[in-house]
Amino acid sequence: MTRCPCEEEVLAKIRPTPEEQAYVRAIGQRLIEAVERSGMAKAMMVGSVARDTFVRGDRDLDIFMLFDPALSREELQEQGLSLAHRIAEEFGATWREKYAEHPYVNATIDSLDIDLVPCYAVPSATEIKSAVDRTPFHTRYILAHIDGYTDDVLLAKQFTKAGGVYGSDHMTEGFSGYLCEVLTIYYGGFRPLLLAAARWRPGEVIDIEEHGAKRFEDPLVVIDPVDPERNVAAALSTSRMFEFVELARGYLAEPSVAFFCRPPSPPLTREVFSRLLAARGTHLFSITFATPDYTPDTVVPQLRKSAGSIRELLERSGFPVNRIDVCMGEERCMLLFELMAGTVPAMRRHIGPPVSSKGNAGKFLEKYVREEVFAGPYVEDGRYVVEIARPFTRAADLLRSNALFDVALGKHVRGSMQQGWTVRAGAECWDEEFAGFLSGFLERSSPLARIWRTTRR
Amino acid sequence: MTRCPCEEEVLAKIRPTPEEQAYVRAIGQRLIEAVERSGMAKAMMVGSVARDTFVRGDRDLDIFMLFDPALSREELQEQGLSLAHRIAEEFGATWREKYAEHPYVNATIDSLDIDLVPCYAVPSATEIKSAVDRTPFHTRYILAHIDGYTDDVLLAKQFTKAGGVYGSDHMTEGFSGYLCEVLTIYYGGFRPLLLAAARWRPGEVIDIEEHGAKRFEDPLVVIDPVDPERNVAAALSTSRMFEFVELARGYLAEPSVAFFCRPPSPPLTREVFSRLLAARGTHLFSITFATPDYTPDTVVPQLRKSAGSIRELLERSGFPVNRIDVCMGEERCMLLFELMAGTVPAMRRHIGPPVSSKGNAGKFLEKYVREEVFAGPYVEDGRYVVEIARPFTRAADLLRSNALFDVALGKHVRGSMQQGWTVRAGAECWDEEFAGFLSGFLERSSPLARIWRTTRR
């Protein structure tokens, strides 16, 4: 398949230079030799550098140190870190310990960002002891199958990056690098991948090694070629999946370099934000609090869960919600709620049991005949209905109340909010620290809509 | 079964006096003889007077004139009306022609209200040519089965009347006199009827003559003993059915004359109405227009249909509705809408096709990328969503617009509204002509709740 000119144009910009490749590989090779010289572990390069699928300039180096699986977790941790420290020192690096599933060392050597990660040298990916043990198998699998597709993977990565759907972190919920590689290999190139994706449906299943494996509930299921029990696309949300689908269709209909360049979107100013919000006529509320001291992959899902629970509380309380979103900043987190009504009538309808349900109906009537009500109980379609007072007629009062702690907040979010939280309404939600987030909320568009609006005007 | 003292007390007040019975029967007998003397038709008394099941003072007399079924409709109408005129004149009555399914004569003789109704003397109720032909069969059936239950039927009628569930007209949607009679006979008295009703469920089926007949979708199905194809309770709504159920339970738990006396409920004043409405905090709107020149049984269902369609229009347009009701006055009709929001944001969410539906998704995106929108199209759970401007942000503007004519209004309601309609909001909805209706709307309660509130305070 010949490439269209725009793909060649893009590749010329993103393909790593031979000098860059040689340089990174040379450093990697020296680090591997240093690890193996210690006699404590084997070593290998993993990640995009190992596969030559890194985009120019984006050359983080991952060195995995493979220890004997007979070691205990504690021994692995101790020996792994001590070896990593030693090597970092030997290379004159600045370094620090970091924690994912277990600790590793992040070092800077000759301006390269390098991770030194201890793991178990298990015989097969189905026998891993922790998620990092799987990584070497991914690298081996891709190296064995990538022949001829290196440029295609680069295009797929740049395409998903520019479209805002690259990254399997919890904030993005998009495509990981490994997923881009597996899909490109499976379909046989970048263009065939797009042709297939243009026809994806929710629940699409891709089983490259024909494992015929277990069933997943995810929107896209890509059985890991090295582990039938794992869905490579588990982190992908339905939204990101179908944003990729629309991008694929849009690109196939009209290929252009625009699909490989994330257009700059400068944040709004306070004034424009305020004007746009007033035009919408909706009721915006923000909740901010100190960012819990955990990684984004811990905090972001808790922010989402908390915002979802508060959304339900708002809707149960009579405030219809248009959209919500969350943002984890360095210092503070923001939960954002856009409501269709900021105040609601004092009266709320409370639906009781069917009158035919004798015991419950009697209790309901007894209770409300004695209480102050606006109207009822009356019978509507065979059920009792009573019209009573609601505790909060203003959303701001509800959001400022302790009722928030009655709903399912994420653990660390709850902890942070117990130290205090701030509720702001309308244009007052504007906050320079969250300028990009607030702007993106009001200007939300799918990636293809954004590209079309930029290129067709 | 011995009666409780309150039932005896009620019967002493509502049982027709022997003098009253003899007097009405004598007039009825003279009318029957006059009809039969003509040689044109047989005659019979029907209705509650014929069955001795009328409540004291409520002694409208129905004389049916049974003509040869070989007559054409036109002949029946011509001969029936001419005979009725002649008899009314002979008795020195004031009279006028009226129309139900076909015309009849309504006369006043010795201060009695008398209907002279021509019908066909068909051999069986399953061979009727129009609904009135069935009435003589009902009378014959009840007369043959009512022995010993006359007082029970009187109690059942007074109980349903006081509870506001008596009457099969379209406004009430309650129990007809014939339905009260059939139920009392079927269950074997007033008390057994209440005991059974206390356990009714939606879709209850009563088939007194074990016709095992066709299936009905109504909340209560009482197969007509004289016609297996007919549900005697067809006009009964689920609400009235279960108001009767709660009344039955309430009465059985604590029998009292309160269940036989409709408590007077004086209408609110304009000031109290205004205060109650303000406390609710809801947004009330009335639509008034000239009452179409048709009978309530034609107009009321059209009012309900129109109000229901306008309710859907309001909800589709973003205005959540708590309750609606309709009232047919002498001069004007009123449709009443209580909304949870009188104004809504300019922005509305418009949900598009799933992105996986390729053709529709493409068209949707093409369309909205070209239009002015607040946000979107964006992808949410795999579907496109776009945030656009809505035509009406104020419910009053919508209700004053011609958009009302785009929904299914009843034919005569549409005709009347085309001559003009008035929209009022909030306390301005108050209107002395509709004082009772507006008061009942705000103070809506089930009959048992009302009795308990009166008797237990």
Side-chain angles (χ1 to χ4, degrees):
Chain A
M1 198 178 290
T2 53
R3 296 204 187 286
C4 78
C6 70
E7 290 167 20
E8 290 298 353
E9 190 183 331
V10 168
L11 282 170
K13 284 185 189 150
I14 64 171
R15 221 183 258 129
T17 62
E19 298 75 23
E20 190 179 25
Q21 270 173 320
Y23 174 70
V24 182
R25 288 199 158 272
I27 298 217
Q29 203 47 50
R30 283 173 51 209
L31 287 163
I32 289 171
E33 282 159 16
V35 171
E36 302 202 333
R37 221 166 26 234
S38 73
M40 293 168 70
K42 296 266 167 201
M44 71 183 286
M45 253 193 293
V46 301
S48 56
V49 167
R51 306 163 194 167
D52 283 334
T53 59
F54 67 98
V55 167
R56 186 179 306 172
D58 182 14
R59 53 206 182 185
D60 300 343
L61 187 53
D62 295 331
I63 302 292
F64 272 48
M65 307 180 293
L66 291 78
F67 285 82
D68 185 343
L71 294 182
S72 72
R73 282 232 161 204
E74 291 69 31
E75 290 168 327
L76 174 76
Q77 199 162 313
E78 199 198 18
Q79 297 187 22
L81 285 179
S82 106
L83 178 56
H85 297 168
R86 219 183 330 147
I87 289 170
E89 296 290 345
E90 184 184 325
F91 278 74
T94 58
W95 58 270
R96 55 183 180 147
E97 263 178 42
K98 281 187 154 188
Y99 298 84
E101 203 176 326
H102 46 233
Y104 62 98
V105 164
N106 176 252
T108 308
I109 302 175
D110 285 347
S111 85
L112 283 184
D113 187 75
I114 296 165
D115 286 342
L116 293 163
V117 183
C119 71
Y120 286 114
V122 291
S124 115
T126 56
E127 291 169 60
I128 59 169
K129 298 186 171 196
S130 88
V132 287
D133 301 343
R134 200 187 282 115
T135 307
F137 292 92
H138 287 168
T139 294
R140 287 184 204 111
Y141 184 87
I142 298 299
L143 283 175
H145 294 83
I146 201 168
D147 236 20
Y149 295 132
T150 312
D151 280 351
D152 293 88
V153 167
L154 282 175
L155 287 170
K157 281 189 177 178
Q158 185 61 27
F159 185 85
T160 50
K161 278 181 184 174
V165 300
Y166 182 83
S168 58
D169 58 285
H170 278 96
M171 201 65 223
T172 312
E173 301 182 320
F175 292 75
S176 67
Y178 179 58
L179 180 56
C180 290
E181 291 166 335
V182 171
L183 288 172
T184 305
I185 291 167
Y186 175 72
Y187 288 114
F190 173 63
R191 189 61 77 98
L193 161 58
L194 296 192
L195 284 165
R199 311 191 148 271
W200 278 351
R201 308 195 65 84
E204 196 74 32
V205 177
I206 291 157
D207 186 4
I208 187 166
E209 288 299 322
E210 292 174 1
H211 290 305
K214 72 176 237 201
R215 302 176 66 85
F216 295 87
E217 291 300 310
D218 303 311
L220 177 66
V221 178
V222 179
I223 306 294
D224 193 340
V226 307
D227 182 354
E229 294 294 306
R230 182 170 173 270
N231 175 16
V232 182
L236 182 69
S237 69
T238 307
S239 294
R240 290 306 90 71
M241 172 177 174
F242 281 100
E243 285 169 2
F244 180 68
V245 167
E246 62 151 24
L247 286 167
R249 290 190 199 141
Y251 180 76
L252 291 170
E254 218 172 328
S256 128
V257 290
F259 286 82
F260 298 96
C261 321
R262 195 169 180 80
S265 63
L268 303 171
T269 62
R270 178 191 286 269
E271 289 66 35
V272 175
F273 176 80
S274 173
R275 201 168 64 233
L276 287 182
L277 188 59
R280 293 168 75 81
T282 53
H283 308 268
L284 193 69
F285 293 89
S286 70
I287 296 180
T288 48
F289 47 86
T291 296
D293 194 15
Y294 292 86
T295 65
D297 271 0
T298 300
V299 174
V300 168
Q302 291 193 15
L303 294 177
R304 282 202 214 285
K305 176 184 175 172
S306 306
S309 299
I310 295 172
R311 177 194 192 130
E312 284 167 21
L313 173 67
L314 284 164
E315 299 206 315
R316 264 201 315 278
S317 307
F319 302 97
V321 177
N322 179 47
R323 279 198 270 135
I324 64 173
D325 206 351
V326 304
C327 184
M328 177 180 173
E330 283 291 324
E331 299 293 321
R332 289 179 302 144
C333 294
M334 183 180 277
L335 311 182
L336 202 56
F337 303 87
E338 187 185 33
L339 313 189
M340 300 304 274
T343 62
V344 287
M347 184 280 291
R348 78 178 181 93
R349 140 185 304 251
H350 172 53
I351 300 192
V355 181
S356 59
S357 165
K358 197 176 167 192
N360 293 334
K363 271 180 239 151
F364 186 87
L365 193 66
E366 286 278 4
K367 172 173 161 63
Y368 286 106
V369 159
R370 291 210 191 104
E371 293 189 6
E372 278 295 322
V373 301
F374 285 115
Y378 53 80
V379 183
E380 193 176 88
D381 293 334
R383 289 192 99 94
Y384 276 130
V385 177
V386 67
E387 292 173 358
I388 55 180
R390 72 172 87 234
F392 296 100
T393 61
R394 291 153 37 102
D397 295 341
L398 172 60
L399 294 175
R400 288 187 179 118
S401 79
N402 282 319
L404 293 197
F405 293 112
D406 298 338
V407 304
L409 305 173
K411 184 180 164 193
H412 304 310
V413 168
R414 176 179 295 268
S416 174
M417 284 183 63
Q418 272 159 350
Q419 307 304 309
W421 74 99
T422 305
V423 175
R424 293 220 163 78
E428 294 302 308
C429 293
W430 183 259
D431 186 320
E432 289 297 335
E433 192 182 337
F434 295 98
F437 168 64
L438 289 162
S439 305
F441 188 85
L442 285 204
E443 299 194 303
R444 186 170 172 192
S445 269
S446 75
L448 183 57
R450 199 173 295 121
I451 290 172
W452 277 1
R453 285 208 180 96
T454 319
T455 57
R456 294 187 171 189
R457 268 182 187 161
Chain B
M1 198 178 289
T2 53
R3 295 204 186 287
C4 78
C6 70
E7 289 167 20
E8 291 297 351
E9 190 184 331
V10 168
L11 281 170
K13 284 186 189 147
I14 64 171
R15 221 182 258 130
T17 64
E19 298 74 24
E20 191 181 23
Q21 271 174 322
Y23 173 69
V24 183
R25 288 198 160 274
I27 300 219
Q29 203 48 49
R30 283 172 51 210
L31 286 164
I32 288 171
E33 282 159 16
V35 171
E36 301 202 331
R37 224 170 19 240
S38 75
M40 292 166 71
K42 295 269 170 201
M44 73 181 286
M45 253 191 294
V46 301
S48 58
V49 167
R51 307 164 194 167
D52 284 334
T53 58
F54 67 99
V55 167
R56 187 179 304 172
D58 184 15
R59 53 205 183 188
D60 300 344
L61 188 53
D62 295 331
I63 303 292
F64 271 49
M65 307 181 294
L66 293 79
F67 286 83
D68 184 342
L71 293 181
S72 73
R73 282 232 160 203
E74 289 71 31
E75 289 167 328
L76 173 79
Q77 197 163 314
E78 199 197 17
Q79 296 187 22
L81 286 178
S82 108
L83 178 55
H85 297 168
R86 224 186 322 146
I87 288 168
E89 295 292 344
E90 185 185 323
F91 278 73
T94 58
W95 59 270
R96 56 182 180 146
E97 262 178 39
K98 281 188 153 186
Y99 299 83
E101 201 176 328
H102 46 232
Y104 63 99
V105 164
N106 176 253
T108 308
I109 301 174
D110 285 348
S111 84
L112 284 183
D113 186 76
I114 297 164
D115 286 343
L116 293 162
V117 182
C119 71
Y120 285 113
V122 292
S124 120
T126 57
E127 291 169 59
I128 59 167
K129 298 187 170 193
S130 88
V132 287
D133 302 345
R134 199 187 281 115
T135 308
F137 292 93
H138 287 168
T139 293
R140 286 184 206 112
Y141 183 85
I142 298 299
L143 282 174
H145 295 83
I146 201 168
D147 238 21
Y149 295 133
T150 312
D151 280 351
D152 292 87
V153 167
L154 283 176
L155 288 170
K157 280 188 177 177
Q158 185 61 25
F159 185 85
T160 49
K161 277 180 185 176
V165 300
Y166 182 82
S168 58
D169 58 283
H170 279 95
M171 200 64 221
T172 311
E173 300 182 320
F175 293 74
S176 68
Y178 179 58
L179 180 56
C180 289
E181 291 166 335
V182 170
L183 289 171
T184 305
I185 291 167
Y186 176 72
Y187 287 115
F190 174 62
R191 190 59 78 99
L193 160 58
L194 297 193
L195 285 164
R199 308 188 149 275
W200 279 352
R201 306 195 67 84
E204 197 74 32
V205 176
I206 290 157
D207 186 4
I208 187 166
E209 290 298 322
E210 293 174 0
H211 290 304
K214 73 176 238 202
R215 302 176 67 84
F216 295 87
E217 291 301 310
D218 303 313
L220 177 65
V221 178
V222 179
I223 306 293
D224 194 339
V226 307
D227 182 355
E229 295 293 307
R230 184 172 171 265
N231 175 15
V232 182
L236 182 68
S237 69
T238 307
S239 294
R240 290 306 90 70
M241 173 177 173
F242 281 99
E243 285 169 4
F244 180 69
V245 168
E246 61 149 24
L247 285 166
R249 290 191 199 138
Y251 181 77
L252 291 169
E254 217 171 327
S256 131
V257 290
F259 286 83
F260 298 96
C261 320
R262 195 170 180 77
S265 65
L268 304 171
T269 61
R270 178 193 286 267
E271 290 67 34
V272 175
F273 176 82
S274 173
R275 203 168 62 234
L276 287 182
L277 188 59
R280 295 169 73 81
T282 53
H283 307 268
L284 192 69
F285 293 90
S286 70
I287 296 181
T288 49
F289 47 85
T291 296
D293 194 14
Y294 292 87
T295 65
D297 271 1
T298 300
V299 174
V300 169
Q302 291 192 13
L303 294 178
R304 283 203 213 285
K305 176 185 176 170
S306 306
S309 300
I310 295 172
R311 177 195 192 128
E312 282 167 22
L313 173 67
L314 284 163
E315 299 205 314
R316 262 200 317 277
S317 307
F319 303 97
V321 177
N322 179 45
R323 278 199 270 135
I324 63 171
D325 206 351
V326 304
C327 185
M328 176 181 173
E330 284 290 324
E331 300 293 321
R332 289 180 302 145
C333 293
M334 184 181 275
L335 312 182
L336 202 56
F337 304 87
E338 188 186 32
L339 313 190
M340 299 305 274
T343 62
V344 287
M347 183 279 289
R348 78 177 180 92
R349 140 186 302 252
H350 173 53
I351 301 191
V355 181
S356 60
S357 165
K358 196 175 169 194
N360 293 333
K363 271 182 237 149
F364 187 88
L365 192 65
E366 285 278 4
K367 173 173 160 64
Y368 286 106
V369 159
R370 291 211 191 101
E371 292 189 6
E372 278 297 320
V373 301
F374 286 115
Y378 52 80
V379 182
E380 193 176 270
D381 294 333
R383 287 191 101 91
Y384 276 130
V385 176
V386 66
E387 293 173 357
I388 55 179
R390 70 172 87 233
F392 295 100
T393 61
R394 291 152 37 101
D397 295 341
L398 172 58
L399 294 175
R400 287 187 180 119
S401 79
N402 282 318
L404 293 197
F405 293 113
D406 297 338
V407 304
L409 304 174
K411 183 180 164 193
H412 304 311
V413 168
R414 176 178 295 266
S416 173
M417 284 183 64
Q418 272 159 349
Q419 307 304 308
W421 74 99
T422 304
V423 175
R424 294 220 163 77
E428 293 303 308
C429 294
W430 183 260
D431 186 321
E432 289 298 334
E433 192 182 335
F434 295 98
F437 168 64
L438 289 163
S439 305
F441 188 86
L442 284 203
E443 299 195 302
R444 186 170 171 189
S445 269
S446 75
L448 183 57
R450 199 174 293 121
I451 290 173
W452 277 0
R453 286 207 178 97
T454 318
T455 58
R456 294 189 171 186
R457 270 187 187 162

